[in-house]
Amino acid sequence: MEVQIINELAKKSIDQIKHTITCAMPHKYEAIKALAKINTAESREALHSLLSFDDAYIKRFALEELGNIESKEALAKIISNVAKDKNEFLRRTSLSIIEKQGITSLHGFVAESLKSQDPLTLEYALNAINQVWSDDDFTAIMELSKKEQNQDIKKRCYEILCNHANSSNWQSVYKLIRTNKIPQIRLLACKLLTDNFSDEFMSDIQAFAKDKDGHIRKLATDYLKEIIWA
């Protein structure tokens, strides 16, 4: 039904679509999607104009649609302007676009968003930093993982640290998570160890092979078999 409404609205003039959005009428959000579907200079200009509205929901939907059709360069400028508005809806939408498009020029905006007290915004910021990563982020995410009380956020921090660990810092993450009571986090540690294994960690991999979690035992046992038969 939504697709049908969008298609019908897309047949109307830009002025008619804008009227649907700006007046107290149904289908205003479908109308925003219709502007993106038309995707002409005029319709994009109309979408840009919605970003100056007081209605945070309209601004959010307009920004979301612009994120699907504008270039990285244009989006960087748009988000830089939108960032002046401290609305969390817009910040999260901006972070989602940065993650999806990999807009590295907005790394500073993402890093600043990691200071958010809103758990949902923080989750979006972590997803974005994972895509626009800088080596300097390692320390910041490590510190966040230590002080954050939300277990979902801590786990996401650990995942990101493991994603970006290298030969010079992986052990700091490994030591932090190897005895964690949550099996999924110990599994991350085991995977990190198998990716960076050396003989000095033989006792660790053997301990993982006896872990109470079956997934961890399998990963460690399979790795032991691999290095024994190598």
Side-chain angles (χ1 to χ4, degrees):
M1 178 61 74
E2 182 189 38
V3 173
Q4 182 180 349
I5 293 170
I6 292 169
N7 289 338
E8 289 300 316
L9 285 166
K11 297 175 184 177
K12 298 180 179 294
S13 71
I14 300 298
D15 285 341
Q16 287 174 316
I17 297 173
K18 288 172 66 176
H19 180 73
T20 301
I21 297 168
T22 57
C23 296
M25 299 173 66
H27 309 316
K28 63 173 62 180
Y29 302 122
E30 289 87 350
I32 293 172
K33 289 180 177 292
L35 287 174
K37 179 180 177 63
I38 294 169
N39 196 11
T40 62
E42 186 182 5
S43 68
R44 289 196 298 275
E45 183 180 347
L47 279 170
H48 279 266
S49 70
L50 299 178
L51 297 177
S52 62
F53 276 40
D54 291 332
D55 189 320
Y57 288 97
I58 287 179
K59 291 167 75 171
R60 173 197 170 192
F61 275 90
L63 180 59
E64 192 172 68
E65 294 305 319
L66 285 167
N68 293 327
I69 62 176
E70 284 286 16
S71 67
K72 284 186 181 182
E73 293 76 12
L75 288 170
K77 293 178 181 178
I78 292 167
I79 292 172
S80 293
N81 288 327
V82 168
K84 298 170 185 175
D85 188 324
K86 301 300 183 181
N87 183 277
E88 292 297 322
F89 283 119
L90 295 175
R91 181 172 290 269
R92 290 196 288 268
T93 301
S94 297
L95 290 166
S96 179
I97 292 170
I98 293 168
E99 176 196 1
K100 181 179 178 181
Q101 299 293 344
I103 308 174
T104 55
S105 63
L106 292 175
H107 179 274
F109 172 76
V110 179
E112 181 65 27
S113 299
L114 289 171
K115 300 175 184 177
S116 175
Q117 298 302 306
D118 182 274
L120 188 55
T121 299
L122 186 52
E123 182 179 340
Y124 275 73
L126 286 167
N127 290 337
I129 206 73
N130 191 44
Q131 294 300 317
V132 298
W133 184 264
S134 165
D135 288 342
D136 292 340
D137 296 323
F138 192 89
T139 300
I141 302 302
M142 179 70 85
E143 291 305 312
L144 179 60
S145 73
K146 292 176 181 178
K147 71 179 183 180
E148 180 59 46
Q149 298 302 308
N150 184 300
Q151 290 302 312
D152 289 333
I153 297 296
K154 288 179 79 72
K155 181 174 181 290
R156 187 63 181 130
C157 286
Y158 296 147
E159 289 171 345
I160 293 169
L161 288 168
C162 290
N163 286 345
H164 298 282
N166 57 42
S167 58
S168 67
N169 59 30
W170 76 270
Q171 290 190 44
S172 62
V173 187
Y174 174 69
K175 290 175 182 177
L176 183 66
I177 66 176
R178 64 179 178 176
T179 59
N180 194 285
K181 64 181 180 180
I182 299 174
Q184 294 94 326
I185 296 175
R186 292 201 309 281
L187 183 61
L188 289 173
C190 186
K191 178 66 167 59
L192 195 58
L193 179 58
T194 59
D195 286 344
N196 298 275
F197 185 77
S198 62
D199 289 343
E200 65 182 294
F201 291 100
M202 180 59 76
S203 61
D204 286 40
I205 198 70
Q206 290 172 336
F208 278 130
K210 299 175 183 178
D211 194 278
K212 59 185 178 182
D213 180 82
H215 296 289
I216 297 171
R217 289 199 308 273
K218 184 178 187 309
L219 177 60
T221 301
D222 288 349
Y223 187 76
L224 280 169
K225 291 177 181 177
E226 181 182 320
I227 59 176
I228 289 171
W229 290 102

